[in-house]
Amino acid sequence: MGAFEQVNSKVVRCPISPQSAVLSRRGAMLGYTGDVRFRPVHGQGTGLGGAVGAVMASESAPTMVAEGSGSVLYGHRGLHLTVLDLRGEGLVVEADRLLAHSAGLQTGVQFLGQGGLRNVVRGAVTGQGLFTTSISGTGSVALLSHGGAFPLTVSPGEPVGVDPQAYVAHTGAVQVDLSAKVGWREAVGRGSGEAFQLKLTGSGTVYVQASEQKL
Amino acid sequence: MDSYDAGSLPSDDNVNAYSFCLDLTHDWFLKRGAMIAYYGDARFDPLSALSSASAFVAARFSSPVYAQEWVVVSGAGKVVVADRGHDVNSFDLDAGNLTVRAGNLLAFDTSLELKQSIVPGFLTLLGTGTFIASSNGPVIFVEPPFRADPEALLGWADCPSPSQHFDAAWMAASITGMLTGVFGRASGEERQYDFTGSGTVLLQSSEQTRDDPALLRVLTEQTQVLSPTQAAELAGILQARAARA
């Protein structure tokens, strides 16, 4: 299993072998060497969540798979990339921000949070939709961010508050909650613009991008 | 933070990753709109307005389609060029040839000769001299054999012009997809430029290109090979596409 190699801040080189194919966002291939074949993939993940997710995500993030042997360069719209190597720990990331990952990883679609009306509110507020992609297993993942992503450690007793627009992904046993601090200032449109925050508690790492621009 | 003046600006070197300073010790071809600032007595002359004295310079720019987007800058001083905050790099050619995407070429030495590439939207530089090109993200150099996404391709040097490669598996899967109505062929991933031989292929870090106004003129010119009947058919196809858009 070859790990992804970052060529520069915006391009990743992914080794492809018969044992390890790579799934990526459709259209993000820049070039390749060797005997590599590309195939569009319909839907993402497995099970009911995957089926639902495929419908939900098909508009925003159609995927393709690269098989064979060689290496492929991926990049997308000049956005910055973060490469993470997963060794069993889970990763939760918005489907739009997922550029490429090893095909050996299991992906699923999950609700961000515990469910209920709150999620509807969160989806509406963050513009991230109700579904995020959860990834588990062993392999590499390349994430897109605007301006580069950096990790913040979440530990018990030290929760992290994140601007919903700046949130990229998180790993580990982390609970995500939306905290709304809506006062009369927000109601009349004179607030700081920071009324909504994602509150992350537990232990793990959250990746935050250096910009509030959505993809 | 130090501020630059005419003396402290670098000479034929990058000011930062996103801008480049040309020293007018010799003349440059410059793309319209690439200049962001200049010091000194610089003259920007359209190629068509060159007097007979410098007509030999204009003769080195043998692409009438692109000529109206380029000027000759001469005189004395320094000119800073940039392109939408993209990375800007200078490349030196030594009795070589290099083909580069027209939209990414910002400036080049008048000692270089320019010709239009067979591949639409690309320009070929021949000879010895320096040129300045922009790229979305840093430039990646790779060696053939290599297949590149047409949009990510920035250019190539010293190797034959690419041929087109169509991914059979992708096309087959795509057709199945179309039949079942799952998706169309939007991403164009089935088409790649195939490089063979020896040389260097230049890639930018993104598949995002800028609109090239001259590309339309290049393609229009190429439709001359069509017969009147074929041209009418093409007109119909384009009209149908425009109606869908």
Side-chain angles (χ1 to χ4, degrees):
Chain A
M1 176 75 83
F4 291 4
E5 174 204 347
Q6 200 144 4
V7 179
N8 59 41
S9 62
K10 296 171 178 180
V11 176
V12 63
R13 177 181 284 126
C14 306
I16 312 277
S17 69
Q19 292 80 37
S20 64
V22 170
L23 278 162
S24 77
R25 198 189 168 99
R26 215 177 282 165
M29 186 271 289
L30 301 180
Y32 66 94
T33 50
D35 177 26
V36 179
R37 293 175 305 282
F38 295 90
R39 194 163 49 79
V41 180
H42 310 295
Q44 229 178 347
T46 50
L48 190 62
V52 175
V55 175
M56 296 302 290
S58 62
E59 292 304 309
S60 55
T63 52
M64 62 177 182
V65 62
E67 299 161 313
S69 55
S71 71
V72 183
L73 297 174
Y74 292 105
H76 187 61
R77 296 174 66 92
L79 291 163
H80 283 80
L81 288 176
T82 308
V83 175
L84 301 177
D85 289 313
L86 298 183
R87 273 175 234 91
E89 70 268 37
L91 174 78
V92 176
V93 59
E94 192 187 350
D96 273 357
R97 294 193 182 274
L98 193 57
L99 179 74
H101 64 85
S102 314
L105 289 168
Q106 285 85 48
T107 60
V109 177
Q110 64 160 218
F111 286 102
L112 195 71
Q114 275 78 40
L117 188 64
R118 219 177 209 187
N119 278 306
V120 180
V121 175
R122 176 180 302 134
V125 168
T126 63
Q128 299 189 1
L130 298 176
F131 293 94
T132 40
T133 304
S134 65
I135 300 176
S136 56
T138 303
S140 299
V141 181
L143 305 178
L144 294 168
S145 62
H146 190 257
F150 56 92
L152 291 175
T153 304
V154 183
S155 53
E158 274 194 81
V160 178
V162 177
D163 187 292
Q165 274 102 45
Y167 167 85
V168 175
H170 72 262
T171 63
V174 173
Q175 284 81 48
V176 187
D177 273 301
L178 181 78
S179 67
K181 290 178 188 146
V182 186
W184 64 274
R185 283 173 188 276
E186 265 69 31
V188 296
R190 298 182 63 128
S192 61
E194 307 288 352
F196 293 97
Q197 290 171 3
L198 291 175
K199 198 111 185 162
L200 294 102
T201 49
S203 68
T205 307
V206 57
Y207 292 85
V208 182
Q209 70 173 10
S211 159
E212 297 186 342
Q213 184 170 318
K214 298 296 297 168
L215 292 193
Chain B
M1 191 170 172
D2 291 338
S3 115
Y4 288 108
D5 62 26
S8 67
L9 267 173
S11 165
D12 289 349
D13 201 357
N14 275 76
V15 181
N16 57 35
Y18 312 109
S19 59
F20 190 92
C21 183
L22 308 174
D23 200 339
L24 293 182
T25 47
H26 56 85
D27 296 357
W28 293 84
F29 286 111
L30 183 68
K31 179 152 75 194
R32 274 175 201 268
M35 184 272 289
I36 55 167
Y38 71 93
Y39 267 113
D41 176 27
R43 286 191 314 280
F44 301 87
D45 299 310
L47 288 169
S48 53
L50 284 182
S51 61
S52 56
S54 48
F56 77 98
V57 172
R60 304 191 74 81
F61 194 101
S62 65
S63 170
V65 174
Y66 284 92
Q68 49 183 285
E69 265 135 53
W70 286 79
V71 294
V72 175
V73 51
S74 54
K78 282 173 175 173
V79 178
V80 182
V81 296
D83 176 28
R84 298 166 299 157
H86 283 189
D87 290 50
V88 175
N89 286 297
S90 71
F91 302 87
D92 291 317
L93 272 184
D94 183 17
N97 75 80
L98 183 135
T99 306
V100 62
R101 186 180 289 279
N104 292 93
L105 186 61
L106 298 184
F108 61 96
D109 223 312
T110 48
S111 65
L112 284 167
E113 198 175 342
L114 178 125
K115 290 188 188 303
Q116 234 170 279
S117 169
I118 294 286
V119 183
F122 284 81
L123 295 171
T124 302
L125 295 168
L126 299 161
T128 303
T130 306
F131 69 94
I132 320 296
S134 67
S135 65
N136 190 349
V139 180
I140 302 159
F141 298 91
V142 286
E143 278 178 20
F146 190 80
R147 293 198 182 121
D149 183 276
E151 275 78 42
L153 180 64
L154 193 61
W156 61 90
D158 302 328
C159 57
S161 284
S163 50
Q164 291 196 356
H165 173 83
F166 289 88
D167 195 314
W170 181 280
M171 303 267 282
S174 228
I175 289 162
T176 322
M178 268 193 290
L179 289 178
T180 53
V182 179
F183 77 104
R185 289 170 46 185
S187 85
E189 208 74 287
E190 73 283 354
R191 189 172 71 106
Q192 296 131 14
Y193 284 164
D194 194 345
F195 288 92
T196 51
S198 65
T200 309
V201 181
L202 283 72
L203 288 179
Q204 63 175 2
S205 307
S206 145
E207 67 289 71
Q208 227 176 11
T209 58
R210 75 181 301 175
D211 279 349
D212 179 2
L215 186 57
L216 178 64
R217 294 196 288 276
V218 174
L219 291 174
T220 311
E221 213 169 63
Q222 290 190 348
T223 57
Q224 301 293 338
V225 300
L226 298 176
S227 72
T229 331
Q230 288 171 318
E233 204 171 306
L234 178 65
I237 294 168
L238 292 178
Q239 247 164 22
R241 192 204 284 180
R244 274 203 307 276

